[in-house]
Amino acid sequence: MSWCSAIWCLKTFDFEDQERKIQHTLNTRTIQRFILERSKNYFSTNVIIETLIHNLAMYDSGPKNIDAFTLDQIEQLMDKMKLFLEECTLVPFEEDKKQWNKLLAYYYQQPNVVRCRVCSKCLNEYEAVMDHIKMHERQTEQAENVPKPVKMNYMVKNCIPRTGERLSKNTKKFLTKNPTTIVKSYLAESNYVQIDIDNDRVQQHLEKCLKKDFPSVKLYPFGSRVSGTGSLSSDLDVFVDLQNGYFGRNYNTKPDELTELIERVQDILRSTKRWTIEAIILNARVPLLRVISLDNDLHCDLTFSNGLAHRNSMLLQYLFTLQPTSRMLVCYLKNWNRENCLNAYTLSLMVIYMYQCHKWLPSVAKLQEDPSNDIIIDDWNGGFATPTLQELNIQLLDVPIPELVNMFFELYSLKSKCFSVESHVICPYIGEKNVTKSSFELSNCDGIPPQMERLKRYMLKHQDDKNPRNQFAYNRPLVVQDPFEHCHNVAKAIPVEIAARLMRSIDSSLEWLGAAVALDEP
């Protein structure tokens, strides 16, 4: 149901028959105020009403069509609302308004998406919702027939379960399209997003808002909008350097200090009335503040820890410039990745690693050979040289996109004979196929490649650390190692069930493309 439609009806509903309780007609704002001015026992209602208002603001003004199903839901809502109001007596709001605002910042419901009850995945399109339900139904059927192991070792062959899941109709339809046409369209969108003037406007306004309280504040955009693989729906990621913390301020040992700073920024932005606080996430590996600029409705993820994410985007931008087809391949795969198993950053690293394995791009270790390029951020080296292809003695790649797509699927297929995602690490730092997950298993860390001396020191230091955030998650179904922060597996959050579905999708896509080529041959 569209909550926007529900609120539209509430705006026009006549409450004159409620004069016994309430002496005037209630519009949407009055209804919100009426409910919000109840006691704190109605907090869940407070959050829902806040969500309805934000949802309404997302729709264009003017006449709207409504289907019979939605209208029936609205009528049910109106009946419930009428009954509720008949039983209510208006009382003063006696709670702390500032505290109430803080609560709403911590607890929220997104106005434009719904969440799956099973896995909490966010969706906002009917077709995607139906496909997602079918996926869970298949998983439930499989779970009933196949006993789950108590514990898995994700460092050996066959550790990822094989499934018989077929490609969805949408994926098959996508694979029949001309890859070159898809890439051309997506590149045009990414190019526009990369130079979108709203990116600069939002940053300028954000900096202006924070300058009074943080005179030395500097902003560093990163993510897909910067690296060149973003879309119109992509968030703008920004590292907000409040107190000269680009190179790190060891917030890991002072989490309360970082929390206080983020909450302070939240209060500053809320007070301007030009930002909506979408979420404040303090328990993540990288705490962040999600906000929406009311000037242009641009969603922003603000981080405050250090400049490593910015350096990562600079690296991607440089490597995409060296071999433009690598960026094209990422753009294609982002469209293929309909189930969102992999984020843009993970896909980018997987593509870059494939290019490195073919000697089409240099390893990050190669780019860090000269210490004069070092940029040390929280003990990790985020610096790198930027030689040209000629200086690297590498040719500009001129391989058609369809062939590159096939090579990507061949490399990461479970049937691959030259590389195994189950036992090996996708490692752009070294850029070769010889880094295994088991290399990081020894307690004395002697198996770690010698080029990763920083990682060895880190793992020895954190051997007895019980906090999983400080451990290198190498015993996971997929290990995609960050090129700078070597202790970070950017794919560690992917559970084995999703990894199995992803691997099956790669294998099936490879088979589908192979069959299509065979049909085209005379």
Side-chain angles (χ1 to χ4, degrees):
M1 164 186 175
S2 169
W3 284 112
C4 176
S5 299
I7 263 198
W8 181 80
C9 273
L10 286 173
K11 288 178 69 176
T12 61
F13 185 74
D14 188 2
F15 285 88
E16 289 183 352
D17 64 332
Q18 302 300 318
E19 287 187 5
R20 180 173 54 88
K21 294 282 187 178
I22 302 170
Q23 297 299 315
H24 58 277
T25 302
L26 299 176
N27 59 16
T28 303
R29 290 288 182 180
T30 310
I31 292 173
Q32 181 206 22
R33 189 160 53 251
F34 178 86
I35 296 177
L36 291 181
E37 288 177 349
R38 296 293 295 174
S39 72
K40 58 188 175 184
N41 295 329
Y42 290 100
F43 180 65
S44 61
T45 304
N46 301 159
V47 175
I48 292 172
I49 293 294
E50 188 82 358
T51 304
L52 296 182
I53 291 173
H54 285 306
N55 180 275
L56 178 64
M58 298 177 65
Y59 283 75
D60 294 332
S61 60
K64 300 171 183 62
N65 293 329
I66 185 168
D67 58 77
F69 179 80
T70 305
L71 181 60
D72 181 60
Q73 286 187 309
I74 292 175
E75 290 173 345
Q76 293 181 46
L77 175 64
M78 297 300 300
D79 290 340
K80 292 288 185 182
M81 181 64 75
K82 181 178 179 180
L83 178 62
F84 177 80
L85 292 174
E86 286 176 346
E87 299 171 345
C88 287
T89 300
L90 187 63
V91 297
F93 181 70
E94 298 175 351
E95 304 298 325
D96 184 341
K97 188 64 177 295
K98 184 176 181 181
Q99 181 69 14
W100 177 83
N101 284 332
K102 184 175 182 179
L103 288 174
L104 282 186
Y106 273 84
Y107 299 93
Y108 75 102
Q109 294 183 13
Q110 289 180 304
N112 60 335
V113 296
V114 293
R115 285 186 179 274
C116 172
R117 292 182 185 274
V118 179
C119 66
S120 295
K121 180 178 176 62
C122 290
L123 300 148
N124 62 357
E125 294 181 358
Y126 177 80
E127 190 172 307
V129 169
M130 293 304 300
D131 287 344
H132 194 75
I133 291 173
K134 292 176 182 178
M135 177 199 74
H136 280 307
E137 289 175 344
R138 289 193 296 268
Q139 288 178 344
T140 301
E141 291 175 1
Q142 294 167 4
E144 292 174 352
N145 299 325
V146 181
K148 293 184 178 180
V150 176
K151 188 176 181 180
M152 284 291 293
N153 175 10
Y154 295 114
M155 298 187 289
V156 295
K157 289 279 287 184
N158 300 315
C159 65
I160 298 178
R162 272 54 174 172
T163 73
E165 186 173 343
R166 297 181 179 181
L167 286 176
S168 67
K169 290 182 178 180
N170 286 337
T171 303
K172 289 180 180 179
K173 183 177 179 180
F174 174 79
L175 291 173
T176 61
K177 295 180 180 179
N178 187 325
T180 304
T181 302
I182 293 173
V183 168
K184 184 178 180 180
S185 173
Y186 198 93
L187 277 180
E189 183 175 342
S190 296
N191 289 337
Y192 172 81
V193 167
Q194 198 171 25
I195 61 173
D196 187 358
I197 193 171
D198 282 341
N199 297 342
D200 294 330
R201 286 174 176 169
V202 166
Q203 292 177 74
Q204 289 168 5
H205 180 244
L206 180 60
E207 184 173 337
K208 183 178 180 181
C209 291
L210 299 176
K211 201 76 173 178
K212 180 180 178 181
D213 293 81
F214 301 97
S216 61
V217 64
K218 293 182 180 179
L219 306 184
Y220 298 89
F222 66 93
S224 60
R225 279 181 171 260
V226 173
S227 61
T229 59
S231 64
L232 291 171
S233 62
S234 296
D235 296 343
L236 174 63
D237 301 309
V238 182
F239 165 54
V240 183
D241 187 356
L242 296 172
Q243 300 174 333
N244 299 314
Y246 189 92
F247 302 104
R249 293 176 61 87
N250 200 20
Y251 283 126
N252 288 331
T253 60
K254 302 176 182 178
D256 292 341
E257 181 181 341
L258 183 57
T259 296
E260 290 174 4
L261 286 173
I262 296 176
E263 291 177 341
R264 191 174 167 191
V265 171
Q266 172 190 245
D267 293 339
I268 293 170
L269 295 183
R270 181 180 282 123
S271 68
T272 67
K273 309 298 183 183
R274 292 174 64 184
W275 298 86
T276 295
I277 307 301
E278 190 175 15
I280 180 170
I281 304 173
L282 300 175
N283 293 324
R285 188 186 72 88
V286 179
L288 60 86
L289 182 64
R290 285 185 172 150
V291 300
I292 305 173
S293 170
L294 297 183
D295 291 339
N296 48 35
D297 200 36
L298 185 58
H299 292 234
C300 307
D301 283 357
L302 311 181
T303 65
F304 304 84
S305 300
N306 60 46
L308 277 173
H310 176 251
R311 295 303 304 169
N312 284 330
S313 291
M314 294 299 97
L315 176 66
L316 294 185
Q317 197 174 54
Y318 162 68
L319 294 174
F320 288 156
T321 301
L322 281 183
Q323 294 288 14
T325 54
S326 61
R327 178 185 167 214
M328 297 178 187
L329 181 56
V330 172
C331 290
Y332 177 86
L333 293 170
K334 280 190 68 176
N335 280 268
W336 166 81
N337 183 38
R338 292 297 179 93
E339 290 290 339
N340 296 317
C341 298
L342 302 170
N343 60 36
Y345 182 53
T346 303
L347 271 175
S348 297
L349 293 182
M350 293 176 71
V351 167
I352 285 169
Y353 178 70
M354 183 192 87
Y355 272 58
Q356 291 169 330
C357 290
H358 287 280
K359 307 302 179 185
W360 297 333
L361 280 175
S363 68
V364 176
K366 172 72 175 176
L367 299 175
Q368 291 186 340
E369 286 178 343
D370 186 351
S372 66
N373 294 305
D374 289 0
I375 297 177
I376 308 303
I377 301 175
D378 276 341
D379 297 327
W380 300 106
N381 187 5
F384 55 93
T386 56
T388 63
L389 284 179
Q390 185 176 1
E391 292 169 333
L392 291 165
N393 197 27
I394 296 176
Q395 296 294 317
L396 179 65
L397 190 64
D398 188 23
V399 175
I401 294 298
E403 189 174 337
L404 290 173
V405 171
N406 205 67
M407 294 173 72
F408 179 89
F409 290 147
E410 283 181 343
L411 177 64
Y412 294 112
S413 169
L414 288 175
K415 300 175 183 179
S416 174
K417 297 180 180 180
C418 62
F419 179 77
S420 169
V421 296
E422 295 176 302
S423 59
H424 285 67
V425 176
I426 298 169
C427 179
Y429 179 71
I430 293 179
E432 296 179 0
K433 302 174 185 177
N434 56 1
V435 181
T436 62
K437 297 178 183 179
S438 59
S439 302
F440 307 94
E441 191 176 18
L442 297 177
S443 58
N444 60 5
C445 300
D446 282 350
I448 295 177
Q451 302 98 313
M452 297 186 185
E453 182 60 31
R454 291 181 184 276
L455 177 60
K456 183 174 182 178
R457 292 201 304 266
Y458 178 91
M459 293 185 69
L460 288 172
K461 177 181 178 181
H462 291 277
Q463 263 186 335
D464 300 323
D465 195 331
K466 302 302 181 182
N467 188 344
R469 293 181 191 168
N470 297 330
Q471 301 294 329
F472 180 30
Y474 57 84
N475 186 19
R476 299 296 300 153
L478 292 178
V479 181
V480 183
Q481 190 180 37
D482 190 272
F484 296 144
E485 193 177 5
H486 300 158
C487 66
H488 179 37
N489 170 16
V490 303
K492 69 178 180 181
I494 299 177
V496 64
E497 296 83 5
I498 301 300
R501 179 157 54 88
L502 172 64
M503 291 299 104
R504 177 59 182 169
S505 183
I506 288 176
D507 288 344
S508 298
S509 295
L510 182 61
E511 293 171 2
W512 179 269
L513 291 175
V517 171
L519 289 174
D520 289 341
E521 291 177 353

